Amino acid sequence: MAAYGAAAFALVGWIVVGMGADVALDVDGRTMALRSSADTVAEVLQEARVAVGADDYLHPDAHAPISDGARIVVRHARPITLTVDGRTARHVVTAMSVGGALDELDIEHTGSRLSVSREGAVPLSGMAVTMLTPRRVHVIAGGRRLTTTTTSATVRGVLKQKRVRHGDGYRVTPPLGSFPRHGTVIKVEPPGPVAPPRTVPITAEVAALNWAGLAACESGGDPRAFNPSGPYYGLYQFSLSMWLAVGGTSTPNLWPADEQTYRAQLLYQRVAGRWQGQWPHCGARLFS
């Protein structure tokens, strides 16, 4: 009887053990081996006290039956704030690496510059990632036009990359701190000549005349206008001798509109309002 009882106990024990299944549970990259008598994936998770939410990844699904050697994979959702070329969006991913998150979001990132390593982990608490994609931009400087592919975040970075000089006094458009989007044309212009001093003030009465109307008549309002028949230059079609007489340098059409207007007003004052000699066809516009 004793031997029989021992044998019976051994058999029962074997049956109880045999009813369990060896299960590998992988939770966010950490794997644990379990011996479980659960019938479904959901029951295994309940035994292991692993919570799975609606945004989490679970394979096989919660209702799948358990068999010996089963492997259950859980990836908990994590938020990621992604800024691509200045545009920010918020996502939820289950990938554990930055590169995996971008792949999960179907965002091409080959050749792009990231603020963090592609192999870096995305923590459960979430993270922010900045990505700069390769963009084709054009730079016009020193009479040359060059095209380059860049991942720079600013116009300044593009110019540094191409070693384009842009020191004090240079005019750069778009501004140095702006974002160079695909197709942007960056213009770099060297400093212009220093304007001669304005030693003679313009009276209020002269300043109030219709100088825009005069310029529209003389040159179509174009500061760079040039008439070879004189030759005559700029907004007010100065002759070179008259331009120099009122303190101008170089030629009028190389100067901005406000410098040309100041010299035209100075001329008007010097001739005491007798505009007919300088602007015989258009001078009457000053009073319209």
Side-chain angles (χ1 to χ4, degrees), residues 214 218 232 236-239 241-242 267-268 271-284 286:
L214 174 61
E218 288 286 341
Y232 300 110
Y236 306 101
Q237 292 293 281
F238 273 98
S239 65
S241 60
M242 192 59 70
L267 173 60
Y268 183 91
V271 299
R274 293 187 291 273
W275 49 265
Q276 292 84 353
Q278 178 64 26
W279 304 295
H281 304 294
C282 295
L286 288 168

Short mmCIF file of all heavy atoms in Angstrom, two decimals, residues 214 218 232 236-239 241-242 267-268 271-284 286:
data_model
loop_
_atom_site.label_atom_id
_atom_site.label_comp_id
_atom_site.label_asym_id
_atom_site.label_seq_id
_atom_site.Cartn_x
_atom_site.Cartn_y
_atom_site.Cartn_z
N LEU A 214 7.75 113.00 -59.14
CA LEU A 214 8.83 113.39 -60.04
C LEU A 214 9.62 112.16 -60.48
O LEU A 214 9.93 112.00 -61.67
CB LEU A 214 9.76 114.39 -59.33
CG LEU A 214 11.02 114.79 -60.10
CD1 LEU A 214 10.66 115.47 -61.42
CD2 LEU A 214 11.90 115.71 -59.25
N GLU A 218 10.32 110.77 -64.27
CA GLU A 218 11.67 110.78 -64.82
C GLU A 218 12.19 109.38 -65.15
O GLU A 218 12.85 109.18 -66.16
CB GLU A 218 12.63 111.44 -63.82
CG GLU A 218 12.47 112.94 -63.70
CD GLU A 218 13.04 113.69 -64.92
OE1 GLU A 218 13.85 113.08 -65.65
OE2 GLU A 218 12.68 114.85 -65.12
N TYR A 232 22.12 109.92 -68.24
CA TYR A 232 21.40 110.33 -67.05
C TYR A 232 21.16 109.10 -66.17
O TYR A 232 20.97 107.99 -66.68
CB TYR A 232 20.05 110.97 -67.42
CG TYR A 232 20.19 112.19 -68.30
CD1 TYR A 232 19.80 112.15 -69.64
CD2 TYR A 232 20.73 113.36 -67.79
CE1 TYR A 232 19.94 113.28 -70.45
CE2 TYR A 232 20.87 114.49 -68.58
CZ TYR A 232 20.49 114.44 -69.91
OH TYR A 232 20.64 115.54 -70.71
N TYR A 236 15.99 110.40 -60.49
CA TYR A 236 15.73 111.76 -60.93
C TYR A 236 16.55 112.13 -62.16
O TYR A 236 16.62 113.30 -62.54
CB TYR A 236 16.00 112.73 -59.78
CG TYR A 236 15.22 112.36 -58.54
CD1 TYR A 236 15.84 111.68 -57.49
CD2 TYR A 236 13.86 112.61 -58.45
CE1 TYR A 236 15.12 111.30 -56.36
CE2 TYR A 236 13.13 112.23 -57.34
CZ TYR A 236 13.76 111.57 -56.30
OH TYR A 236 13.05 111.18 -55.19
N GLN A 237 17.16 111.12 -62.79
CA GLN A 237 17.91 111.29 -64.04
C GLN A 237 18.92 112.44 -63.94
O GLN A 237 18.95 113.36 -64.77
CB GLN A 237 16.95 111.49 -65.21
CG GLN A 237 16.14 110.22 -65.52
CD GLN A 237 17.01 109.08 -66.05
OE1 GLN A 237 17.37 109.06 -67.22
NE2 GLN A 237 17.37 108.13 -65.17
N PHE A 238 19.75 112.35 -62.92
CA PHE A 238 20.85 113.28 -62.76
C PHE A 238 21.86 113.12 -63.89
O PHE A 238 22.17 111.99 -64.30
CB PHE A 238 21.60 113.00 -61.46
CG PHE A 238 21.05 113.69 -60.25
CD1 PHE A 238 20.21 113.03 -59.37
CD2 PHE A 238 21.42 114.99 -59.97
CE1 PHE A 238 19.74 113.64 -58.23
CE2 PHE A 238 20.95 115.63 -58.83
CZ PHE A 238 20.10 114.96 -57.96
N SER A 239 22.42 114.23 -64.34
CA SER A 239 23.66 114.14 -65.11
C SER A 239 24.79 113.93 -64.10
O SER A 239 24.67 114.29 -62.92
CB SER A 239 23.90 115.42 -65.91
OG SER A 239 24.13 116.51 -65.04
N SER A 241 27.66 115.39 -63.81
CA SER A 241 28.23 116.65 -63.32
C SER A 241 27.35 117.28 -62.24
O SER A 241 27.84 117.80 -61.23
CB SER A 241 28.43 117.63 -64.47
OG SER A 241 27.20 117.91 -65.11
N MET A 242 26.03 117.21 -62.43
CA MET A 242 25.13 117.80 -61.45
C MET A 242 25.11 116.97 -60.16
O MET A 242 25.03 117.52 -59.06
CB MET A 242 23.72 117.90 -62.04
CG MET A 242 22.78 118.75 -61.20
SD MET A 242 23.38 120.46 -61.02
CE MET A 242 23.15 121.07 -62.69
N LEU A 267 19.62 119.79 -54.51
CA LEU A 267 19.72 120.53 -55.77
C LEU A 267 18.59 121.55 -55.88
O LEU A 267 18.82 122.71 -56.27
CB LEU A 267 19.68 119.55 -56.95
CG LEU A 267 19.61 120.16 -58.35
CD1 LEU A 267 20.82 121.06 -58.62
CD2 LEU A 267 19.50 119.07 -59.41
N TYR A 268 17.37 121.13 -55.56
CA TYR A 268 16.23 122.04 -55.63
C TYR A 268 16.46 123.26 -54.74
O TYR A 268 16.16 124.40 -55.14
CB TYR A 268 14.97 121.27 -55.20
CG TYR A 268 13.70 122.06 -55.30
CD1 TYR A 268 12.93 122.03 -56.46
CD2 TYR A 268 13.24 122.84 -54.22
CE1 TYR A 268 11.75 122.76 -56.56
CE2 TYR A 268 12.06 123.56 -54.32
CZ TYR A 268 11.33 123.51 -55.48
OH TYR A 268 10.15 124.23 -55.58
N VAL A 271 19.13 125.70 -56.28
CA VAL A 271 18.70 126.53 -57.42
C VAL A 271 17.48 127.36 -57.04
O VAL A 271 16.81 127.93 -57.92
CB VAL A 271 18.40 125.67 -58.66
CG1 VAL A 271 19.65 124.93 -59.10
CG2 VAL A 271 17.25 124.70 -58.41
N ALA A 272 17.19 127.39 -55.72
CA ALA A 272 16.09 128.21 -55.20
C ALA A 272 14.76 127.87 -55.85
O ALA A 272 13.95 128.76 -56.17
CB ALA A 272 16.41 129.69 -55.36
N GLY A 273 14.54 126.61 -56.12
CA GLY A 273 13.26 126.16 -56.65
C GLY A 273 13.11 126.28 -58.14
O GLY A 273 12.04 125.98 -58.68
N ARG A 274 14.17 126.70 -58.84
CA ARG A 274 14.07 126.82 -60.31
C ARG A 274 14.38 125.45 -60.92
O ARG A 274 15.49 125.18 -61.37
CB ARG A 274 15.01 127.90 -60.80
CG ARG A 274 14.60 129.31 -60.34
CD ARG A 274 15.46 130.37 -60.98
NE ARG A 274 16.83 130.34 -60.49
CZ ARG A 274 17.28 130.97 -59.40
NH1 ARG A 274 16.43 131.70 -58.66
NH2 ARG A 274 18.54 130.89 -59.02
N TRP A 275 13.37 124.62 -60.93
CA TRP A 275 13.54 123.23 -61.33
C TRP A 275 13.62 123.03 -62.84
O TRP A 275 14.02 121.98 -63.33
CB TRP A 275 12.37 122.39 -60.79
CG TRP A 275 11.01 122.99 -61.09
CD1 TRP A 275 10.28 123.78 -60.27
CD2 TRP A 275 10.27 122.87 -62.31
NE1 TRP A 275 9.10 124.16 -60.87
CE2 TRP A 275 9.07 123.59 -62.14
CE3 TRP A 275 10.48 122.21 -63.52
CZ2 TRP A 275 8.09 123.68 -63.13
CZ3 TRP A 275 9.51 122.28 -64.50
CH2 TRP A 275 8.33 123.02 -64.31
N GLN A 276 13.25 124.05 -63.61
CA GLN A 276 13.14 123.89 -65.06
C GLN A 276 14.45 123.47 -65.72
O GLN A 276 14.46 122.75 -66.73
CB GLN A 276 12.63 125.17 -65.70
CG GLN A 276 11.19 125.51 -65.36
CD GLN A 276 11.06 126.25 -64.04
OE1 GLN A 276 12.04 126.39 -63.30
NE2 GLN A 276 9.85 126.73 -63.74
N GLY A 277 15.57 123.91 -65.17
CA GLY A 277 16.86 123.56 -65.78
C GLY A 277 17.22 122.09 -65.60
O GLY A 277 17.88 121.50 -66.46
N GLN A 278 16.80 121.49 -64.50
CA GLN A 278 17.14 120.09 -64.23
C GLN A 278 16.06 119.13 -64.71
O GLN A 278 16.36 118.07 -65.25
CB GLN A 278 17.37 119.89 -62.73
CG GLN A 278 17.70 118.47 -62.31
CD GLN A 278 19.02 117.96 -62.90
OE1 GLN A 278 19.91 118.75 -63.21
NE2 GLN A 278 19.12 116.66 -63.09
N TRP A 279 14.79 119.50 -64.53
CA TRP A 279 13.70 118.59 -64.87
C TRP A 279 12.65 119.32 -65.72
O TRP A 279 11.51 119.53 -65.30
CB TRP A 279 13.04 118.07 -63.59
CG TRP A 279 14.01 117.39 -62.66
CD1 TRP A 279 14.70 116.25 -62.88
CD2 TRP A 279 14.38 117.85 -61.34
NE1 TRP A 279 15.49 115.94 -61.80
CE2 TRP A 279 15.31 116.90 -60.84
CE3 TRP A 279 14.03 118.93 -60.55
CZ2 TRP A 279 15.90 117.02 -59.58
CZ3 TRP A 279 14.61 119.04 -59.30
CH2 TRP A 279 15.52 118.11 -58.81
N PRO A 280 13.01 119.73 -66.91
CA PRO A 280 12.10 120.57 -67.71
C PRO A 280 10.79 119.87 -68.07
O PRO A 280 9.77 120.54 -68.25
CB PRO A 280 12.92 120.86 -68.99
CG PRO A 280 13.96 119.77 -69.03
CD PRO A 280 14.28 119.43 -67.63
N HIS A 281 10.80 118.56 -68.22
CA HIS A 281 9.59 117.85 -68.65
C HIS A 281 8.75 117.33 -67.50
O HIS A 281 7.54 117.15 -67.66
CB HIS A 281 9.96 116.70 -69.58
CG HIS A 281 10.75 117.09 -70.78
ND1 HIS A 281 10.23 117.90 -71.78
CD2 HIS A 281 12.04 116.84 -71.13
CE1 HIS A 281 11.16 118.10 -72.70
NE2 HIS A 281 12.27 117.48 -72.33
N CYS A 282 9.40 117.08 -66.37
CA CYS A 282 8.67 116.40 -65.27
C CYS A 282 8.60 117.22 -63.98
O CYS A 282 7.92 116.83 -63.04
CB CYS A 282 9.33 115.06 -64.94
SG CYS A 282 9.26 113.86 -66.29
N GLY A 283 9.32 118.36 -63.92
CA GLY A 283 9.42 119.10 -62.67
C GLY A 283 8.08 119.55 -62.11
O GLY A 283 7.92 119.67 -60.89
N ALA A 284 7.11 119.76 -63.00
CA ALA A 284 5.79 120.22 -62.50
C ALA A 284 5.11 119.18 -61.63
O ALA A 284 4.22 119.49 -60.83
CB ALA A 284 4.90 120.58 -63.70
N LEU A 286 6.28 117.88 -59.11
CA LEU A 286 6.58 118.17 -57.72
C LEU A 286 5.41 118.83 -57.00
O LEU A 286 5.28 118.75 -55.76
CB LEU A 286 7.81 119.08 -57.61
CG LEU A 286 9.16 118.43 -57.93
CD1 LEU A 286 10.23 119.50 -58.07
CD2 LEU A 286 9.53 117.41 -56.85
#
